[in-house]
């Protein structure tokens, strides 16, 4: 169980996130939606420890998140974080080793995922030579290496074609079937509606609605 309670972040006089609270239960896929500037990315960065909250906390299994706990989370930032001039395979294997995988295990897992996402023939290509959609595929693979206990994904479906969206959806369902909680943000509301067990709606840094898609529709005007 991932719990967020009262997360707040100010930048000078600006309150970017204001008392945000929600839960991501084991095996649940939770959609995080809201317009640009609503506070989704800032909230995810606080969960991952990239930004320090002004107030509030994030908890894992009832305990305040620590660096060691976060190291077992799979995180995908909104801005692609891969090194553009490194070959795809070498870079992903390196990231797998940082998660504690052996070189052989990391290479096998990376090869499997690259094949699955249609990049099996691009192993030696530098990241910067890939299309934006294929760079997104590689970033997704980086996020799920190392047997993550939770997934925090900022716009994971951005730039993906329909086939890749289906592949990504199937991959996430594999993790939720193993009780891994998944939180992802997206502007594709039809996709959130189709995939998510519940939805958290942010506006101007505050949670303005939450629940299943059915509950949100029934509670609307």
């Amino acid at each position: 169980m991932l719990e967020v309670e009262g997360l707040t972040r100010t930048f000078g006089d600006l309150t970017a996130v204001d008392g945000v609270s929600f839960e991501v239960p084991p095996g649940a896929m939770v959609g995080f939606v809201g317009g640009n500037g609503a506070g989704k990315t800032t909230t995810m960065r606080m969960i991952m420890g990239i930004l320090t909250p002004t107030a509030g906390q994030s908890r894992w299994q009832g305990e305040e998140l620590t660096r060691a706990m976060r190291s077992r989370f799979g995180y995908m930032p909104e801005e692609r974080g891969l090194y553009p001039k490194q070959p795809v395979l070498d870079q992903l294997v390196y990231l797998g080793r940082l998660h504690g995988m052996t070189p052989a295990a990391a290479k096998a897992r990376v090869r499997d995922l690259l094949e699955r996402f249609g990049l099996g023939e691009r192993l030696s290509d530098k990241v910067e030579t890939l299309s934006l959609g294929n760079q997104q595929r590689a970033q997704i693979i980086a996020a799920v290496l190392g047997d993550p206990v939770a997934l925090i994904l900022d716009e994971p479906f951005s730039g993906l074609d329909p086939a890749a969206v289906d592949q990504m959806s199937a991959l996430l369902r594999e993790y939720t079937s193993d009780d891994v909680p998944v939180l992802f943000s997206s502007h594709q509301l039809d996709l959130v509606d189709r995939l998510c067990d519940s939805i958290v709606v942010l506006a101007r840094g505050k949670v303005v609605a939450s629940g299943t898609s059915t509950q949100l529709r029934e509670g609307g005007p």
Side-chain angles (χ1 to χ4, degrees):
M1 170 79 80
L2 174 64
E3 300 170 272
V4 171
E5 183 178 350
L7 277 187
T8 299
R9 175 69 193 205
T10 60
F11 297 92
D13 294 331
L14 172 68
T15 301
V17 174
D18 190 0
V20 167
S21 300
F22 60 87
E23 297 178 350
V24 188
M29 203 178 304
V30 175
F32 206 27
V33 302
N36 292 332
K40 304 184 300 297
T41 293
T42 300
T43 300
M44 289 182 160
R45 287 174 175 170
M46 285 191 286
I47 293 171
M48 291 304 301
I50 298 168
L51 287 175
T52 301
T54 305
Q57 63 176 211
S58 303
R59 294 191 295 268
W60 175 249
Q61 310 291 44
E63 298 182 9
E64 187 170 0
L65 271 175
T66 64
R67 183 175 181 180
M69 293 174 185
R70 290 184 175 102
S71 70
R72 297 201 61 200
F73 284 18
Y75 173 57
M76 179 176 174
E78 183 179 23
E79 302 85 8
R80 295 178 181 90
L82 299 177
Y83 299 107
K85 297 190 179 297
Q86 285 192 356
V88 178
L89 178 64
D90 292 351
Q91 181 167 178
L92 292 174
V93 169
Y94 171 72
L95 293 175
R97 294 185 66 186
L98 290 180
H99 281 290
M101 303 174 73
T102 66
K107 182 171 288 189
R109 177 64 172 158
V110 169
R111 282 182 175 273
D112 176 65
L113 288 168
L114 287 171
E115 289 285 350
R116 182 170 179 171
F117 279 93
L119 296 174
E121 297 181 357
R122 309 294 300 272
L123 304 181
S124 300
D125 292 1
K126 294 180 179 179
V127 171
E128 65 184 0
T129 68
L130 302 179
S131 67
L132 293 179
N134 282 338
Q135 288 183 33
Q136 188 79 344
R137 288 174 167 90
Q139 189 74 61
I140 290 165
I141 292 170
V144 300
L145 289 174
D147 195 23
V149 298
L151 288 171
I152 311 294
L153 310 173
D154 199 351
E155 294 287 347
F157 295 96
S158 177
L160 297 182
D161 58 40
V165 167
D166 289 342
Q167 292 165 346
M168 177 62 175
S169 301
L171 181 65
L172 293 183
R173 288 194 181 102
E174 290 176 16
Y175 281 93
T176 56
S177 68
D178 286 334
D179 280 341
V180 173
V182 176
L183 173 69
F184 76 87
S185 66
S186 180
H187 286 97
Q188 298 168 259
L189 299 183
D190 58 333
L191 189 62
V192 172
D193 187 27
R194 174 161 57 92
L195 291 179
C196 291
D197 300 288
S198 63
I199 301 168
V200 177
V201 183
L202 237 61
R204 297 177 298 280
K206 296 183 178 182
V207 175
V208 295
S210 63
T212 66
S213 58
T214 300
Q215 289 170 336
L216 294 180
R217 280 193 291 267
E218 291 176 348

